[in-house]
Amino acid sequence: MGKKYLKVLFVASECAPIAKVGGLGDVIGSLPKALKKLRVDLRIAIPKYKGIDFKKHLFKIIAKKIKVGKSFVNIYQGFLPGSKVILYLLENKKYFGENGIYFERGAFVGSFREIQRFLFFSQAILEIFENLNWFPQIIHCHDWHTAIAPLLLKIKTKNKKPKTLLTIHNLANQGEWRAKKILDFLNLKGDEIDSLKIRDKRKKLNILAQGILNTDFLNTVSKTYSQEILTKKYGEDLEKILSKRKKDLFGILNGIDQDRFNPKACLNLKVNYSVSNLNQKRENKIDLQKILKLSQNQNFPLFSLIGRLTSQKGIDLIAKIVPDLVNSGCQLIILGVGERKYENKLLKLAKKYQRNVSVQIKFDPVLAQKIYAGSDFFLMPSRFEPCGLGQLIAQRYGTIPIGRKTGGLADTIEQDKTGFLFKEYKAGAFLRVIRKALKFYQNEKEWKKLIKRAMKKDFSWKKSAKEYLKLYNKLIA
Ligand code: ADP
């Protein structure tokens, strides 16, 4: 075709399956494949964490001792597994060498160590192009972890400035710390650019806010959420700053890797199934009940939740409805890691209702797939939800989502058609919609229809990747 490929670099803290904590990792591990198919020269850079399994993933060192501030990075190059997407790992023992991606159970910033880790990573990004012999036209930043990069580009890079896009996956996690510490670390005085004078309400410097103000374009991961965040209720105190950028703010829905999440081929299931042999799905349910030592009965409605156990995910509502759920003859499985208070509350309930409630406090992608396949219902009573992947994966496996009508849940669950939604963040409203969903479950014909519709939905990246490409083209126009 002779047409030049658009060069885009993703910079992020996670990338599945190499380094993942939540949905961000899934997106960074799958959207690039779809963009590559659209002929974008898409590459990814993440820190080289200690936990990355070098026996499983092949990387070779391509550059050593590149100066970044007072320290150095080495660059490793490999591929995003199952693709030809180039993945760079930036190595620095001091900042990335400790185990784990984040330092807190809830994945929210809780220490300056973590702020430093990602400030350093963002600085490093801007120093590597010469060594790669590859200059991106666009740097696509994700969340607060790399949100300082647009600002650094503005004040530190002299020539050849790439454009920037900042995708906000989680507005609540903003990366704030004492301004002086951040500025000192970056070797800035604080008057280099107007935005740097802004402090949040606790007089801290807010890295995500700096990203929002300095990036060329920004987006969130669903249309509804991109509008919600302009309001006080959902703006996480950044609504005013976001409103300043309203005309450059877009909403592009996340997709999922439909090859990885595929009930027909997934190797982790007891039995594979598709819309044409739905009865096989039940065998996965029995298998799941057996593995988790629940009473085995294929007729018990089986509910599940997989996710970070944090206030965002509505875990307090879940805890409130458990007795009602069990008393109506239902079972519940929860898989997640998060805040201790929620973990303990749920574990207590699991102990009380041993044969009908199982709570698994761990990160376990294999068990997750068994749960997506073996359950009847998937619960997502989130307070807010930028996109949410759980409800997409669940539908792919013919498991009917019940979610709060907010953000991406509102955009991807079709009321009474592929799932169920409730509006008011109250246990009563949640229970009402659960009872309604159970009525569908009891009518086999209606239930199958629901499952088939859910399974047939296209949640691949195809459509959204095209929207990103459009945005990239607009950005460099
Ligand atoms: P968020 O990005 O807010 O954490 P999402 O619903 O967008 O939530 O994505 C969460 C992703 O992480 C899903 O793929 C979900 O299956 C996965 N996940 C979350 N917790 C666990 C866990 N404990 N074990 C396995 N997978 C998990």
Side-chain angles (χ1 to χ4, degrees), residues 20 23 26 307-308 313 335-336 362-364 372 388-390 393:
K20 165 177 162 172
D26 286 326
R308 291 177 296 111
K313 300 292 176 182
L335 169 64
K362 58 182 171 179
F363 191 86
D364 185 343
Y372 281 120
L389 298 179
I393 303 170

Side-chain angles (χ1 to χ4, degrees), residues 66-114:
I66 301 162
K67 196 159 181 334
V68 178
K70 287 184 194 136
S71 192
F72 298 90
V73 288
N74 302 325
I75 310 175
Y76 287 72
Q77 181 176 327
F79 290 110
L80 179 65
S83 79
K84 286 272 173 281
V85 175
I86 292 177
L87 173 59
Y88 300 114
L89 302 180
L90 271 48
E91 180 179 55
N92 177 290
K93 290 255 156 59
K94 179 170 174 199
Y95 295 110
F96 312 142
E98 281 174 87
N99 238 344
I101 299 175
Y102 313 121
F103 294 102
E104 307 294 320
R105 285 184 85 76
F108 274 51
V109 190
S111 67
F112 190 62
R113 273 196 310 162
E114 188 165 322

